[in-house]
PDB file of all heavy atoms in Angstrom:
ATOM      1  N   GLU A  52      40.688  -1.634  70.365  1.00  0.00           N
ATOM      2  CA  GLU A  52      39.812  -1.869  69.216  1.00  0.00           C
ATOM      3  C   GLU A  52      40.562  -1.708  67.884  1.00  0.00           C
ATOM      4  O   GLU A  52      40.297  -2.427  66.935  1.00  0.00           O
ATOM      5  CB  GLU A  52      38.617  -0.911  69.245  1.00  0.00           C
ATOM      6  CG  GLU A  52      37.656  -1.148  70.376  1.00  0.00           C
ATOM      7  CD  GLU A  52      36.962  -2.492  70.289  1.00  0.00           C
ATOM      8  OE1 GLU A  52      36.614  -2.927  69.164  1.00  0.00           O
ATOM      9  OE2 GLU A  52      36.774  -3.128  71.340  1.00  0.00           O
ATOM     10  N   LEU A  53      41.491  -0.769  67.831  1.00  0.00           N
ATOM     11  CA  LEU A  53      42.209  -0.500  66.585  1.00  0.00           C
ATOM     12  C   LEU A  53      43.290  -1.534  66.298  1.00  0.00           C
ATOM     13  O   LEU A  53      43.678  -1.705  65.138  1.00  0.00           O
ATOM     14  CB  LEU A  53      42.841   0.898  66.611  1.00  0.00           C
ATOM     15  CG  LEU A  53      41.888   2.072  66.779  1.00  0.00           C
ATOM     16  CD1 LEU A  53      42.659   3.386  66.735  1.00  0.00           C
ATOM     17  CD2 LEU A  53      40.789   2.059  65.726  1.00  0.00           C
ATOM     18  N   THR A  54      43.792  -2.190  67.323  1.00  0.00           N
ATOM     19  CA  THR A  54      44.877  -3.150  67.133  1.00  0.00           C
ATOM     20  C   THR A  54      44.413  -4.600  67.204  1.00  0.00           C
ATOM     21  O   THR A  54      45.235  -5.508  67.133  1.00  0.00           O
ATOM     22  CB  THR A  54      46.010  -2.915  68.160  1.00  0.00           C
ATOM     23  OG1 THR A  54      45.475  -3.024  69.482  1.00  0.00           O
ATOM     24  CG2 THR A  54      46.648  -1.551  67.970  1.00  0.00           C
ATOM     25  N   ASN A  55      43.127  -4.814  67.310  1.00  0.00           N
ATOM     26  CA  ASN A  55      42.581  -6.165  67.338  1.00  0.00           C
ATOM     27  C   ASN A  55      42.895  -6.866  66.016  1.00  0.00           C
ATOM     28  O   ASN A  55      42.618  -6.334  64.943  1.00  0.00           O
ATOM     29  CB  ASN A  55      41.067  -6.099  67.566  1.00  0.00           C
ATOM     30  CG  ASN A  55      40.425  -7.453  67.600  1.00  0.00           C
ATOM     31  OD1 ASN A  55      40.407  -8.177  66.615  1.00  0.00           O
ATOM     32  ND2 ASN A  55      39.881  -7.793  68.754  1.00  0.00           N
ATOM     33  N   GLU A  56      43.472  -8.043  66.107  1.00  0.00           N
ATOM     34  CA  GLU A  56      43.928  -8.747  64.903  1.00  0.00           C
ATOM     35  C   GLU A  56      42.801  -9.013  63.909  1.00  0.00           C
ATOM     36  O   GLU A  56      43.003  -8.939  62.704  1.00  0.00           O
ATOM     37  CB  GLU A  56      44.594 -10.067  65.290  1.00  0.00           C
ATOM     38  CG  GLU A  56      45.222 -10.786  64.118  1.00  0.00           C
ATOM     39  CD  GLU A  56      46.009 -12.019  64.513  1.00  0.00           C
ATOM     40  OE1 GLU A  56      46.013 -12.394  65.703  1.00  0.00           O
ATOM     41  OE2 GLU A  56      46.634 -12.611  63.619  1.00  0.00           O
ATOM     42  N   LYS A  57      41.601  -9.298  64.385  1.00  0.00           N
ATOM     43  CA  LYS A  57      40.497  -9.653  63.496  1.00  0.00           C
ATOM     44  C   LYS A  57      39.721  -8.452  62.987  1.00  0.00           C
ATOM     45  O   LYS A  57      39.309  -8.413  61.834  1.00  0.00           O
ATOM     46  CB  LYS A  57      39.560 -10.630  64.187  1.00  0.00           C
ATOM     47  CG  LYS A  57      40.209 -11.969  64.471  1.00  0.00           C
ATOM     48  CD  LYS A  57      39.269 -12.910  65.167  1.00  0.00           C
ATOM     49  CE  LYS A  57      39.998 -14.218  65.454  1.00  0.00           C
ATOM     50  NZ  LYS A  57      39.209 -15.151  66.209  1.00  0.00           N
ATOM     51  N   THR A  58      39.479  -7.464  63.856  1.00  0.00           N
ATOM     52  CA  THR A  58      38.596  -6.353  63.482  1.00  0.00           C
ATOM     53  C   THR A  58      39.295  -4.996  63.447  1.00  0.00           C
ATOM     54  O   THR A  58      38.676  -4.001  63.088  1.00  0.00           O
ATOM     55  CB  THR A  58      37.423  -6.263  64.479  1.00  0.00           C
ATOM     56  OG1 THR A  58      37.948  -6.029  65.792  1.00  0.00           O
ATOM     57  CG2 THR A  58      36.587  -7.531  64.466  1.00  0.00           C
ATOM     58  N   GLY A  59      40.566  -4.953  63.831  1.00  0.00           N
ATOM     59  CA  GLY A  59      41.271  -3.683  63.973  1.00  0.00           C
ATOM     60  C   GLY A  59      41.370  -2.856  62.711  1.00  0.00           C
ATOM     61  O   GLY A  59      41.199  -1.637  62.745  1.00  0.00           O
ATOM     62  N   SER A  60      41.626  -3.494  61.591  1.00  0.00           N
ATOM     63  CA  SER A  60      41.765  -2.746  60.339  1.00  0.00           C
ATOM     64  C   SER A  60      40.459  -2.039  59.977  1.00  0.00           C
ATOM     65  O   SER A  60      40.452  -0.852  59.634  1.00  0.00           O
ATOM     66  CB  SER A  60      42.192  -3.688  59.210  1.00  0.00           C
ATOM     67  OG  SER A  60      42.369  -2.972  58.017  1.00  0.00           O
ATOM     68  N   ASP A  61      39.348  -2.766  60.068  1.00  0.00           N
ATOM     69  CA  ASP A  61      38.037  -2.163  59.784  1.00  0.00           C
ATOM     70  C   ASP A  61      37.711  -1.078  60.810  1.00  0.00           C
ATOM     71  O   ASP A  61      37.183  -0.018  60.458  1.00  0.00           O
ATOM     72  CB  ASP A  61      36.938  -3.229  59.781  1.00  0.00           C
ATOM     73  CG  ASP A  61      37.058  -4.183  58.599  1.00  0.00           C
ATOM     74  OD1 ASP A  61      37.662  -3.801  57.574  1.00  0.00           O
ATOM     75  OD2 ASP A  61      36.546  -5.315  58.711  1.00  0.00           O
ATOM     76  N   ASN A  62      38.008  -1.345  62.079  1.00  0.00           N
ATOM     77  CA  ASN A  62      37.757  -0.345  63.118  1.00  0.00           C
ATOM     78  C   ASN A  62      38.567   0.923  62.883  1.00  0.00           C
ATOM     79  O   ASN A  62      38.103   2.026  63.168  1.00  0.00           O
ATOM     80  CB  ASN A  62      38.090  -0.914  64.504  1.00  0.00           C
ATOM     81  CG  ASN A  62      37.051  -1.892  64.995  1.00  0.00           C
ATOM     82  OD1 ASN A  62      35.914  -1.901  64.544  1.00  0.00           O
ATOM     83  ND2 ASN A  62      37.444  -2.743  65.920  1.00  0.00           N
ATOM     84  N   THR A  63      39.778   0.767  62.383  1.00  0.00           N
ATOM     85  CA  THR A  63      40.623   1.928  62.103  1.00  0.00           C
ATOM     86  C   THR A  63      40.012   2.770  60.996  1.00  0.00           C
ATOM     87  O   THR A  63      40.007   4.004  61.079  1.00  0.00           O
ATOM     88  CB  THR A  63      42.055   1.478  61.747  1.00  0.00           C
ATOM     89  OG1 THR A  63      42.577   0.706  62.832  1.00  0.00           O
ATOM     90  CG2 THR A  63      42.954   2.665  61.495  1.00  0.00           C
ATOM     91  N   ASP A  64      39.484   2.124  59.970  1.00  0.00           N
ATOM     92  CA  ASP A  64      38.813   2.874  58.897  1.00  0.00           C
ATOM     93  C   ASP A  64      37.618   3.655  59.441  1.00  0.00           C
ATOM     94  O   ASP A  64      37.406   4.823  59.088  1.00  0.00           O
ATOM     95  CB  ASP A  64      38.352   1.926  57.788  1.00  0.00           C
ATOM     96  CG  ASP A  64      39.509   1.303  57.018  1.00  0.00           C
ATOM     97  OD1 ASP A  64      40.626   1.870  57.041  1.00  0.00           O
ATOM     98  OD2 ASP A  64      39.289   0.253  56.389  1.00  0.00           O
ATOM     99  N   VAL A  65      36.841   3.021  60.309  1.00  0.00           N
ATOM    100  CA  VAL A  65      35.689   3.685  60.929  1.00  0.00           C
ATOM    101  C   VAL A  65      36.164   4.852  61.783  1.00  0.00           C
ATOM    102  O   VAL A  65      35.592   5.945  61.745  1.00  0.00           O
ATOM    103  CB  VAL A  65      34.862   2.685  61.771  1.00  0.00           C
ATOM    104  CG1 VAL A  65      33.817   3.397  62.605  1.00  0.00           C
ATOM    105  CG2 VAL A  65      34.223   1.639  60.879  1.00  0.00           C
ATOM    106  N   ALA A  66      37.228   4.635  62.549  1.00  0.00           N
ATOM    107  CA  ALA A  66      37.752   5.681  63.434  1.00  0.00           C
ATOM    108  C   ALA A  66      38.183   6.907  62.636  1.00  0.00           C
ATOM    109  O   ALA A  66      37.931   8.043  63.052  1.00  0.00           O
ATOM    110  CB  ALA A  66      38.927   5.150  64.254  1.00  0.00           C
ATOM    111  N   ILE A  67      38.806   6.696  61.494  1.00  0.00           N
ATOM    112  CA  ILE A  67      39.225   7.823  60.654  1.00  0.00           C
ATOM    113  C   ILE A  67      38.004   8.604  60.178  1.00  0.00           C
ATOM    114  O   ILE A  67      37.974   9.836  60.262  1.00  0.00           O
ATOM    115  CB  ILE A  67      40.064   7.328  59.463  1.00  0.00           C
ATOM    116  CG1 ILE A  67      41.437   6.854  59.966  1.00  0.00           C
ATOM    117  CG2 ILE A  67      40.218   8.420  58.406  1.00  0.00           C
ATOM    118  CD1 ILE A  67      42.268   6.143  58.922  1.00  0.00           C
TER     119      ILE A  67
END
Side-chain angles (χ1 to χ4, degrees):
E52 293 295 322
L53 300 182
T54 58
N55 180 295
E56 186 174 5
K57 294 179 181 176
T58 60
S60 182
D61 291 337
N62 285 339
T63 302
D64 292 339
V65 170
I67 289 171

